[in-house]
Amino acid sequence: MRILLISSSYNGLCQRAHVELEALGHDISITLALSPDDVRKGVTLFQPDLIICPFLKEKIPEDVWSKHHCFIIHPGIKGDRGPSSLDWAIMNDEQEWGVTVLQAVEDMDAGEIWASETFPMRQASKAGIYRRELTQAAIRAMLLAVKRVESGSHRPEPLDYTNPDVRGELRPLMKQEERRIDWERDHVATIIKKINAADSAPGVLDQIDGQDYYLFGAHEESLLQGWQPGAIIAQRHGAICRAAIDGAVWISHLKRKHGIKIPFYKRFLSHDRHFDFKLPAAKVLGSMLNDTPESPIDPLFSGTEPTFKEIWYEEKNQVGYLHFDFHNGAMSTSQCRRLLESYRLALARPTQVLVLMGGRDFWSNGIHLNVIEAAENPANESWRNINAIDDFVLEVLTTENKLTVSAVWGGCGAGGAMAILAADKVWAREGVIFNPHYKTMGLYGSEYWTYSLPKRVGPVKALELTETPLPIGTKKAKAIGYIDEILSDHYEEYLQQVRCKAEALAADPQYPRLLEEKRNLRHKDERVKPLAAYRAAELQKMKINFSGKFYGGEVNYHEARYNFVHKVRPKETAAYLAKHMRLDAVKLSELRQPLAY
Ligand code: COA
């Protein structure tokens, strides 16, 4: 079928829908719902058999939904309606939640039901549930709905609130008043729930020292305590710990409410550092934390007690597991340096295999664009950050005393999608989406990708992956050699598989030979072209990008980063997504051809 995806942004769910539908042989084009006319243009040019809206905040124009099969993927159970579905599900302690595929009609989320899937809820942030359980259920429901359309005989279910199966209801937009933390009364669990329900947007509005901030990234603390609820009692790696009536809670990120959006063209002239985007809490509060004690944590932390930790380590049966769960997978200079330190310590442990586990939502998304944007000199900070991530990748590439594995549960993009390739083996959960390209950020890229990527997929595919900034799923990734193994999409099963495979590798009678072969290959590669030469060539081009000049593309890095961090909507759907625009261009050029003679 010709399927047009209409989405508010090309977010993770839309990327996964794109990859899954294309893998089934459907002809896919995408249009962002930037305006009703953009939507109409996409429909007119592509003439779809079916329209699917994986993530839509806007209304579809009536002349579109009334003439086409148009599905809305709604993040709620049957009967649930409204713009804050998952927020309410978390706040109301729902034990089970779901996704429903609805026919678009005049009233939002009120159309006939084509498919619905449920999943058990867990204690996690809204974005975490969205990226894991909700995305998995949405894809199942979407594929079922597509099958039902193809069958031609399926009759969708009308929304009928008398049906006991329809448990949802119409709920309003959740307001800040309903999210507000009452520090004098709320327990740690309630505070965490409120912040979880507001992640990644809009955050929970709160006051610190008389200023309004949105709070993000809540973590329970088990040891620290303070007398004054709400008071900041400690800081660690950019996060702040605040006392609560029954303990304490860490908050990793803040966004100033009355932050200033400095226009792109004025950003070098402004000295105002009060940004209107999300940053590590300590960066936002600055000197306010001068007297707040730092609460240290072991670089190979292996405790089980709840606390704020970005890096931790486990070890069993000759295998070490290094977890690095950086918020949104973004890795700042200091985070990369700490990761390198922990990695070196893990290498010194008496194990045979070291597994790089990444984080729960993302393995890594490369350098930290928000921290760079907030730096006094973003070009210099970009340089420091890319070198820090390169240092970590180099350490993995040159590890000689162990076999290494990248175990990818969360997605990864740009530098993160190249960093996974530094390990000897790459295993990924089935539903992972990879974005192994830098072009949309106006970067040539580093992380030794010019060594690792062609080595795995060959030069032609490497060029294809990096030149066309599209996501790839695990089936394609495995077929082209980008990854080695596809593992389960269920977390516990996935962990079990990672453990079994890593332990089998460590206990393999061939282990000494495998390690020897790895060393020999690395030495041989080094003689052909040293890693330092790859790095120097990549960084030379990155330097050009950081200086604000283009390198082989038309995107300016500083502008692209500014737009990404400030969430500036694009003016039009990128041509690599909007196939209908490319078709249009082809048609136009065909029509114009005769004039050339
Ligand atoms: N630095 C800072 N923040 C980042 C980030 C980075 N490198 N990569 C992702 N994020 C943040 C997003 O701003 C978003 O923040 P939010 O919590 O405020 O919503 C969150 O992570 C999730 O990202 P999102 O883009 O919504 O996820 P996605 O699954 O739709 O897309 C990517 C994943 C990787 C395609 C996309 O995040 C991306 O392009 N990231 C930038 C990668 C990059 O260019 N890195 C620098 C070069 S190495």
Side-chain angles (χ1 to χ4, degrees):
M1 281 199 288
R2 291 165 74 79
I3 303 179
L4 181 68
L5 300 180
I6 302 179
S7 197
S8 295
S9 73
Y10 190 52
N11 76 342
L13 178 56
C14 188
Q15 292 170 28
R16 176 92 189 269
H18 185 185
V19 163
E20 296 280 346
L21 291 167
E22 217 157 52
L24 289 176
H26 298 293
D27 188 9
I28 309 295
S29 187
I30 296 151
T31 190
L32 299 184
L34 299 170
S35 73
D37 280 345
D38 277 301
V39 170
R40 288 190 186 102
K41 189 174 172 188
V43 174
T44 309
L45 291 176
F46 196 57
Q47 294 292 313
D49 304 313
L50 176 64
I51 295 171
I52 301 178
C53 308
F55 166 62
L56 197 65
K57 296 194 215 155
E58 299 76 8
K59 272 190 95 172
I60 294 278
E62 184 184 346
D63 49 303
V64 170
W65 61 254
S66 60
K67 291 192 198 126
H68 292 82
H69 248 318
C70 185
F71 287 168
I72 307 289
I73 299 184
H74 176 73
I77 51 174
K78 279 187 191 177
D80 176 80
R81 296 176 57 195
S84 304
S85 299
L86 207 42
D87 313 43
W88 286 115
I90 294 172
M91 288 292 247
N92 294 341
D93 294 317
E94 298 285 356
Q95 297 302 301
E96 186 183 77
W97 200 239
V99 179
T100 308
V101 178
L102 303 153
Q103 180 87 36
V105 289
E106 176 61 25
D107 289 335
M108 256 181 145
D109 313 326
E112 291 177 312
I113 298 164
W114 279 82
S116 186
E117 290 280 335
T118 56
F119 54 84
M121 287 287 275
R122 79 188 145 101
Q123 280 192 3
S125 72
K126 179 172 63 166
I129 292 173
Y130 188 90
R131 289 183 192 120
R132 190 193 297 185
E133 288 87 350
L134 195 136
T135 295
Q136 289 172 350
I139 297 301
R140 287 198 306 272
M142 179 193 76
L143 295 179
L144 183 60
V146 169
K147 235 187 209 166
R148 287 175 169 169
V149 171
E150 282 177 317
S151 79
S153 59
H154 181 78
R155 293 178 68 100
E157 176 190 333
L159 178 59
D160 174 5
Y161 282 102
T162 62
N163 181 347
D165 197 27
V166 177
R167 292 181 292 116
E169 57 186 270
L170 172 62
R171 290 188 193 276
L173 177 79
M174 189 180 285
K175 298 193 202 75
Q176 279 299 337
E177 196 40 44
E178 284 139 336
R179 303 181 188 272
R180 201 174 64 81
I181 294 170
D182 183 345
W183 289 95
E184 299 293 339
R185 288 198 189 146
D186 285 348
H187 292 92
V188 166
T190 307
I191 297 167
I192 290 179
K193 181 168 77 175
K194 287 181 174 176
I195 298 176
N196 273 346
D199 181 272
S200 67
V204 173
L205 188 58
D206 192 28
Q207 284 218 324
I208 299 174
D209 211 18
Q211 282 282 351
D212 288 337
Y213 299 94
Y214 293 98
L215 317 181
F216 303 90
H219 302 258
E220 188 184 344
E221 166 59 35
S222 53
L223 296 174
L224 299 172
Q225 281 190 336
W227 300 115
Q228 176 67 48
I232 300 174
I233 54 173
Q235 57 178 318
R236 176 184 297 156
H237 300 152
I240 50 170
C241 185
R242 296 178 75 180
I245 52 172
D246 60 339
V249 57
W250 288 95
I251 292 156
S252 69
H253 286 71
L254 296 178
K255 185 170 95 173
R256 231 178 129 109
K257 184 180 179 200
H258 301 293
I260 294 172
K261 186 183 218 121
I262 306 162
F264 176 69
Y265 59 90
K266 277 195 184 162
R267 71 202 198 292
F268 288 127
L269 305 174
S270 175
H271 295 289
D272 200 313
R273 306 268 93 196
H274 296 145
F275 299 104
D276 70 336
F277 51 86
K278 193 199 285 186
L279 282 166
K283 258 201 188 313
V284 176
L285 298 179
S287 57
M288 204 191 287
L289 299 182
N290 279 356
D291 298 328
T292 306
E294 183 78 27
S295 170
I297 187 166
D298 193 302
L300 271 195
F301 179 81
S302 57
T304 50
E305 63 277 17
T307 191
F308 171 67
K309 55 185 192 293
E310 290 180 308
I311 301 174
W312 68 100
Y313 180 76
E314 299 167 287
E315 195 177 293
K316 200 176 170 196
N317 296 336
Q318 300 288 310
V319 182
Y321 302 88
L322 188 63
H323 300 259
F324 42 101
D325 196 6
F326 300 119
H327 189 76
N328 284 337
M331 290 166 48
S332 67
T333 305
S334 58
Q335 286 167 323
C336 292
R337 287 182 182 161
R338 279 192 280 113
L339 180 57
L340 176 60
E341 183 194 356
S342 302
Y343 182 81
R344 283 182 174 148
L345 290 169
L347 281 189
R349 300 284 312 157
T351 55
Q352 308 274 48
V353 175
L354 180 54
V355 187
L356 299 170
M357 300 290 282
R360 280 165 286 212
D361 289 344
F362 293 103
W363 197 92
S364 166
N365 281 328
I367 56 177
H368 202 312
L369 299 169
N370 290 39
V371 168
I372 291 170
E373 185 65 22
E376 289 275 352
N377 185 326
N380 286 354
E381 186 50 38
S382 303
W383 182 252
R384 276 157 36 91
N385 202 160
I386 200 72
N387 274 288
I389 202 167
D390 278 0
D391 289 345
F392 165 67
V393 175
L394 178 64
E395 197 74 11
V396 182
L397 281 169
T398 54
T399 295
E400 295 207 341
N401 66 339
K402 290 185 202 315
L403 291 181
T404 54
V405 177
S406 289
V408 190
W409 170 265
C412 48
M418 302 301 181
I420 58 169
L421 308 180
D424 304 316
K425 302 208 174 292
V426 184
W427 305 334
R429 117 179 121 91
E430 194 182 349
V432 167
I433 292 291
F434 303 97
N435 276 284
H437 49 79
Y438 302 84
K439 261 199 132 169
T440 47
M441 204 49 66
L443 292 173
Y444 179 80
S446 192
E447 291 91 4
Y448 297 87
W449 78 265
T450 51
Y451 170 68
S452 309
L453 189 62
K455 194 166 172 225
R456 273 194 162 262
V457 303
V460 175
K461 274 273 172 278
L463 202 66
E464 197 182 300
L465 290 174
T466 47
E467 284 300 303
T468 317
L470 285 170
I472 56 166
T474 42
K475 282 191 196 80
K476 179 171 174 189
K478 181 154 187 252
I480 62 174
Y482 176 78
I483 62 169
D484 302 300
E485 297 274 354
I486 300 177
L487 306 185
S488 169
D489 240 359
H490 298 279
Y491 192 57
E492 295 307 327
E493 210 173 289
Y494 164 86
L495 285 183
Q496 189 58 25
Q497 288 175 341
V498 170
R499 282 195 194 108
C500 281
K501 290 174 72 59
E503 286 182 17
L505 199 56
D508 190 336
Q510 299 297 318
Y511 178 89
R513 184 181 59 79
L514 292 173
L515 198 60
E516 187 58 26
E517 275 175 12
K518 160 184 160 149
R519 278 190 209 121
N520 291 343
L521 186 61
R522 176 81 281 286
H523 293 172
K524 190 174 139 229
D525 283 355
E526 190 67 15
R527 283 192 298 275
V528 175
K529 181 174 172 181
L531 285 173
Y534 287 97
R535 179 167 175 162
E538 289 169 5
L539 289 183
Q540 194 189 13
K541 287 161 187 146
M542 289 291 264
K543 206 169 205 168
I544 298 173
N545 296 148
F546 295 160
S547 74
K549 297 196 188 91
F550 311 135
Y551 187 86
E554 52 296 328
V555 181
N556 176 307
Y557 162 61
H558 295 292
E559 198 171 344
R561 190 192 63 240
Y562 177 93
N563 289 341
F564 181 83
V565 167
H566 289 89
K567 303 194 187 302
V568 177
R569 295 195 88 188
K571 293 200 176 61
E572 56 182 19
T573 310
Y576 58 86
L577 299 177
K579 187 187 270 181
H580 52 274
M581 300 296 282
R582 303 202 298 269
L583 294 176
D584 191 30
V586 171
K587 260 192 227 149
L588 275 177
S589 68
E590 278 170 8
L591 288 173
R592 280 195 190 121
Q593 249 179 15
L595 297 176
Y597 291 101

